[in-house]
Amino acid sequence: MPGRGASWYRGDCHVHSVHSDGELTPAELVRQARAAGLDFLATTEHNSAAAPGVWVQPAGDDFLVVLGEEVTTGTGHWLALGTAPGEVVDWDYRVRDGLVDRALDQVHRAGGLCVAAHPHAPYPSGEFMYPFEGFDAVEVWNGLWSSDRPWNADNEAALAEWGRGLAADLLRSGRWRPAMGNSDTHLDGQLGIPQTVVFAEELSTRAVLAGIRAGRSWIAESAEVDVAFTARAGGRTAGVGERLATRGELVDVRAVVRGVPSGTVSFHTDGGKVHRASLPGDGAGSVRWRTTAQDSAFVRIEVRAPDGQVAALTNPVILT
């Protein structure tokens, strides 16, 4: 199992192989993942465990494969990440049956992560009807940001819904539910578009899931896109997914972006979109904005290409 130290790792946690309804073998998927600049992927076959042993040889000892399942219920799909070898999570129910909590508990008892998948997918069973409570994260970006494919999730709606819920969650409980993005790969050429970039103490299932659970992650269109996002007050600095104790001082928020030529960076708080700036033609630039904890409970950013499609977005920095 890979064990590299604390770093930012790129991965794709929604991937299907020939062992469910994908067209690529595990070996082909790992090869494409490496080419896409990924450090890990999660195998999420529909309603079944990863086929025993088929990922061991392709992954080798320097690439992480997280075991999981896409749980395709009658009223929404979700990802069970970090399941045990051979473990299958129940999927045969609908929201009115009241059985989803039992399945979530099964994954949590094993130390796994539960992710609401493509909550606005426009096909039967794709629309997510369960409350987000009980889920650890929400997949706000699924596959291409926009597409004419009839099965492509409505990512704009998913992002807006998640963004609206951030403030409500923080005010109600002081907790919040991170966003993540995955390719939902079924076909050749889809892997790593998009990808979740997570800070983990090491490249292991336990550490990667812990980083995602804590919101220490952001989403990139590809490995060509890089974002550094921090908030600073009185000599104290916090990054994505962290809390910054402002002690009433002015907060300097900074985003450094690479790989989005002539794009735009927007800052979002519980007050909505509060600042917007353009990136230069070479796609590399730095944008700053200032606020206070009194005015902003959190700050997050979105980076969009000139055509309006998202190229990157971050989880928030919480201001206290």
Side-chain angles (χ1 to χ4, degrees):
M1 181 64 66
R4 284 177 279 167
S7 185
W8 289 95
Y9 294 104
R10 291 177 179 258
D12 189 340
C13 289
H14 193 161
V15 176
H16 301 279
S17 79
V18 293
H19 293 281
S20 61
D21 60 346
E23 70 174 22
L24 300 174
T25 67
E28 290 169 327
L29 286 166
V30 171
R31 185 163 57 249
Q32 290 194 11
R34 293 180 189 274
L38 302 186
D39 302 290
F40 67 92
L41 64 78
T43 169
T44 54
E45 314 293 14
H46 291 281
N47 303 329
S48 61
V54 300
W55 292 94
V56 176
Q57 184 174 353
D61 59 4
D62 62 343
F63 187 88
L64 174 66
V65 175
V66 176
L67 301 183
E69 173 188 343
E70 182 173 7
V71 184
T72 58
T73 82
T75 49
H77 299 185
W78 57 279
L79 307 177
L81 304 178
T83 53
E87 180 180 15
V88 176
V89 180
D90 185 23
W91 54 271
D92 191 14
Y93 48 84
R94 302 168 63 87
V95 64
R96 65 186 180 189
D97 298 326
L99 298 176
V100 68
D101 287 343
R102 185 173 66 184
L104 297 175
D105 288 344
Q106 175 187 343
V107 177
H108 287 146
R109 284 196 303 270
L113 201 71
C114 302
V115 181
H118 46 60
H120 293 280
Y123 51 79
S125 87
E127 191 78 14
F128 196 82
M129 301 303 293
Y130 303 98
F132 286 152
E133 285 75 16
F135 289 87
D136 304 294
V138 180
E139 188 182 67
V140 304
W141 188 348
N142 175 273
L144 294 174
W145 184 256
S146 64
S147 168
D148 58 1
R149 294 175 180 146
W151 63 84
N152 189 241
D154 189 338
N155 294 310
E156 204 73 66
L159 175 60
E161 180 182 37
W162 171 77
R164 288 191 298 268
L166 274 177
D169 287 344
L170 281 168
L171 289 171
R172 182 172 58 247
S173 66
R175 301 176 61 188
W176 57 282
R177 193 164 288 101
M180 68 183 307
N182 304 300
S183 69
D184 198 358
T185 287
H186 288 76
L187 309 176
D188 187 22
Q190 294 179 321
L191 194 67
I193 308 172
Q195 51 196 244
T196 291
V197 189
V198 56
F199 184 83
E201 293 300 325
E202 63 179 10
L203 186 58
S204 69
T205 294
R206 179 199 59 79
V208 166
L209 296 187
I212 295 172
R213 185 182 290 109
R216 296 282 284 132
S217 62
W218 57 279
I219 309 168
E221 180 183 43
S222 71
E224 299 300 314
V225 177
D226 193 40
V227 171
F229 179 53
T230 57
R232 183 179 178 86
R236 298 171 301 281
T237 303
V240 174
E242 295 183 321
R243 292 176 181 264
L244 177 65
T246 67
R247 301 176 187 172
E249 297 178 79
L250 193 65
V251 181
D252 184 67
V253 188
R254 186 179 185 220
V256 180
V257 180
R258 174 182 60 79
V260 190
S262 303
T264 60
V265 180
S266 56
F267 291 71
H268 301 252
T269 73
D270 48 315
K273 185 190 295 186
V274 293
H275 183 66
R276 180 179 179 273
S278 299
L279 292 169
D282 65 1
S286 176
V287 180
R288 297 175 69 176
W289 179 69
R290 288 184 171 181
T291 188
T292 65
Q294 183 176 4
D295 292 331
S296 307
F298 64 84
V299 186
R300 65 177 183 87
I301 65 167
E302 296 175 12
V303 184
R304 292 182 180 255
D307 63 1
Q309 295 196 49
V310 170
L313 63 91
T314 73
N315 278 302
V317 177
I318 310 301
L319 306 182
T320 64

